[in-house]
Amino acid sequence: MGVTPGHDVVVVGGGIIGLAVAWRAAGAGRDVAVVDPDPGRGATWAAAGMLAPVAEAHFGEESLTALNVAAGRAWPDFARDLEAATGRTVHFRRDGTLLVAGDPSDRTATDRVLAFHQAMGLAAVRLGRSACREAEPLLSPRISGGVDLPDDHQVDNRAVATALLDACRTAGVTMIPDRVTRVGSAGGRVTGVVLAEGGSVGAASVVLAAGSRSGEVGGVPDSCRPPVRPVRGVTLRLRAPDGVPCLRRTVRALVHGRSCYLVPRDDGGLVLGATVEERGDGLEVPLGGVADLVEDARRVVPVLDEYSLLEVSPGLRPGTPDNGPIVGPTDLVGLLVATGHYRNGILLAPVTAAEVVALLDSDDCGTPPGLGPFAAFRPDRFAARGAGS
Ligand code: GLY
């Protein structure tokens, strides 16, 4: 057991949020370490890579939608920078998304969502069945119409994770293959982190970005412990055999009131997702959820019957009481939180990294740099509402 030499910043968690923070912080001149036994995996690896500020806009979540829209606009630069730094492509695609209604009652629901999108000034256009099938010929003639969402895009999340790992190494980030058990502190400010395998790492600042595990890390005062919970999602990876056609763009569908999405990749792959299961932190894959997903997807895209199933990937989304992320400073000087991104971790990674770097640059991590899109998503909002205690 020893004390690893200190860093300016230790990031707890090497998912897309932690890696993006580490890369951008190192690029801003900081000496950064990331602690994670298996960086780039977890929920980041299981995700589908949708960048969906509009499709993920829900009634009562207007601040989150504003943040998500800002996040969508940040992606082109982030993808360009990451590709330039690594020479890798991350397959950022701007094809838009089609939201499809499986039956007439789903059509009523998509019409309500469309009215909400339009009231918020989001780009969403109602399409009849034929217009949907013209835009996406693989859709079933049994669908009831849909909505074009031209501002919802996608990126290959696994390519992003791989590129971020490369970019971090090149930028001099130290990768520590371990788990953080607690944040160390003295006199009201952080001193570093304690590792599961023994030993500790000194740091002036600690960024808690451990996804659905963020609430379990010791040494975090109750007043700023992020109230995240695991929300399991299972995605399936499929592939179109040679000669079998591929979708042109992401399709989201509502089928008998259940949601699914189909995200085509450049190489003939397709990600089908996802279940939403509040069953603790296990990574089991209940067959019923997968069966529903496959049935709903086949109903809207019948050619899926010819696709091959390659992989079943469970992940744990970090859910929060209001579905919004938790990003900002805490009562413990030097401890920043960047977690709780729930269904929008891939989308929010670039803006979260920018926010954390701005906070690191601000007065001792203690003073938020003014009102920004994260103003409604600070860690102290739950204590103020009594939800975090
Ligand atoms: N972002 C889609 C999901 O969480 O399933």
Side-chain angles (χ1 to χ4, degrees):
M1 292 223 291
V3 179
T4 304
H7 297 270
D8 296 333
V9 183
V10 167
V11 181
V12 183
I16 192 167
I17 299 295
L19 293 176
V21 165
W23 175 48
R24 290 304 206 190
R30 295 186 183 258
D31 173 10
V32 183
V34 173
V35 185
D36 193 306
D38 204 6
R41 298 287 166 149
T44 297
W45 201 249
M50 287 181 299
L51 307 173
V54 183
E56 293 286 353
H58 300 295
F59 299 104
E61 294 181 357
E62 285 76 6
S63 302
L64 179 56
T65 299
L67 175 64
N68 287 345
V69 168
R73 294 195 182 121
W75 253 99
D77 285 353
F78 187 80
R80 188 206 53 217
D81 291 355
L82 191 52
E83 291 185 343
T86 60
R88 293 176 175 275
T89 174
V90 296
H91 301 281
F92 172 60
R93 285 175 51 165
R94 300 170 189 255
D95 320 306
T97 292
L98 278 179
L99 170 62
V100 169
D103 67 23
S105 77
D106 295 321
R107 180 65 156 166
T108 306
T110 56
D111 279 347
R112 269 204 304 271
V113 170
L114 172 70
F116 171 65
H117 289 160
Q118 291 178 336
M120 286 202 66
L122 303 171
V125 181
R126 192 175 199 272
L127 299 180
R129 180 191 292 123
S130 334
C132 284
R133 297 191 67 226
E134 210 166 291
E136 184 46 78
L138 299 184
L139 289 172
S140 162
R142 296 161 71 200
I143 63 160
S144 283
V147 181
D148 182 25
L149 305 175
D151 289 343
D152 279 8
H153 303 307
Q154 65 137 309
V155 70
D156 182 333
N157 46 295
R158 292 183 173 184
V160 172
T162 305
L164 278 171
L165 284 165
D166 254 17
C168 281
R169 280 186 208 106
T170 305
V173 173
T174 304
M175 303 301 295
I176 302 175
D178 203 335
R179 212 164 47 76
V180 167
T181 55
R182 47 188 305 111
V183 173
S185 64
R189 69 165 305 136
V190 297
T191 53
V193 296
V194 178
L195 305 177
E197 303 277 313
S200 58
V201 185
S205 302
V206 172
V207 180
L208 183 53
S212 65
R213 282 197 53 249
S214 299
E216 294 167 20
V217 176
V220 176
D222 284 347
S223 59
C224 41
R225 184 183 302 283
V228 289
R229 67 181 195 287
V231 182
R232 189 170 54 204
V234 177
T235 53
L236 308 184
R237 252 98 188 149
L238 313 178
R239 176 170 299 284
D242 285 349
V244 174
C246 302
L247 288 173
R248 292 177 178 171
R249 73 196 70 196
T250 297
V251 170
R252 300 180 72 119
L254 197 62
V255 181
H256 308 321
R258 289 195 303 241
S259 296
C260 67
Y261 46 78
L262 302 97
V263 186
R265 296 292 196 230
D266 290 341
D267 63 356
L270 182 118
V271 185
L272 168 59
T275 62
V276 181
E277 301 164 73
E278 301 265 5
R279 300 203 207 178
D281 62 2
L283 286 172
E284 300 83 8
V285 180
L287 193 57
V290 172
D292 289 347
L293 204 53
V294 170
E295 182 187 325
D296 296 345
R298 288 172 66 223
R299 186 180 162 88
V300 291
V301 181
V303 73
L304 281 195
D305 281 357
E306 296 179 46
Y307 280 45
S308 308
L309 173 62
L310 303 184
E311 188 185 315
V312 178
S313 312
L316 298 171
R317 306 175 182 89
T320 64
D322 60 8
N323 297 335
I326 306 174
V327 178
T330 66
D331 294 346
L332 184 57
V333 177
L335 176 65
L336 295 170
V337 174
T339 188
H341 294 75
Y342 188 37
R343 296 181 63 95
N344 298 301
I346 309 297
L347 173 66
L348 290 170
V351 287
T352 300
E355 181 74 1
V356 170
V357 170
L359 286 163
L360 289 169
D361 286 344
S362 72
D363 175 24
D364 253 353
C365 303
T367 312
L371 292 177
F374 281 96
F377 300 102
R378 295 299 182 206
D380 60 3
R381 71 187 186 276
F382 300 107
R385 292 176 205 165
S389 51

